[in-house]
Amino acid sequence: MDEDADSSERFNVSIGLHETFIVASATGELDYSSAHLLRQQVKDAWQATDSAGLVLDLGGVTFCDSIGVGVLVLLLRQSREQHSNLVLSNLPPLLERILTITGLRTAFLVEESVDEAIRTVQEAPQSTPPEDAEPSS
């Protein structure tokens, strides 16, 4: 079995549109062999729409390595460059811990549920968080 087939069996992203923003749900292992799937599918959705924001539901993520965290940071930077809002929802405890330990937790808007994240995107002006919340390179 090749690596792409293996990663697609262990990781899945579903993309939908809600009003003017993207809702992406990730399930499985977000790691070196699957992170490119998340990045590419969100990139494709951003290019296909004039999205005001992205809600990323991570409730189904069972594992995340440094490459997966790197993709989340990349998506955050892309959202800021596009003056779009990125809100993470259903953050699993493991991923919450990784983001906290690395100091990245404060860089992301995080809501408990997809519904709360949707409300946050709907209510938030299309702006970026304060500069001091910017993740370091």
Side-chain angles (χ1 to χ4, degrees):
M1 184 180 323
D2 67 34
E3 188 174 312
D4 280 344
D6 184 45
S7 63
S8 67
E9 289 177 9
R10 293 183 302 109
F11 185 77
N12 188 18
V13 180
S14 61
I15 303 281
L17 288 174
H18 183 87
E19 297 178 7
T20 61
F21 54 91
I22 300 163
V23 177
S25 297
T27 57
E29 299 176 6
L30 179 56
D31 61 13
Y32 72 95
S33 66
S34 62
H36 69 281
L37 295 172
L38 177 60
R39 183 188 59 77
Q40 189 61 50
Q41 288 195 18
V42 170
K43 180 182 173 185
D44 291 348
W46 260 328
Q47 289 176 343
T49 65
D50 188 23
S51 174
L54 168 65
V55 171
L56 186 51
D57 177 8
L58 298 171
V61 172
T62 57
F63 175 81
C64 184
D65 68 5
S66 60
I67 302 299
V69 172
V71 166
L72 295 179
V73 171
L74 176 67
L75 293 175
L76 178 62
R77 287 187 176 158
Q78 287 177 336
S79 72
R80 289 177 176 175
E81 287 171 5
Q82 295 175 212
H83 304 288
S84 178
N85 295 302
L86 169 64
V87 181
L88 306 180
S89 69
N90 292 319
L91 207 56
L94 172 69
L95 193 48
E96 175 90 39
R97 181 170 161 77
I98 291 169
L99 293 177
T100 300
I101 289 170
T102 59
L104 292 169
R105 175 58 181 81
T106 58
F108 290 94
L109 288 172
V110 178
E111 294 294 347
E112 292 292 319
S113 70
V114 172
D115 288 339
E116 290 174 28
I118 288 171
R119 277 193 294 281
T120 297
V121 171
Q122 288 172 328
E123 295 169 0
Q126 290 188 16
S127 62
T128 58
E131 288 300 316
D132 62 348
E134 197 60 46
S136 60
S137 299

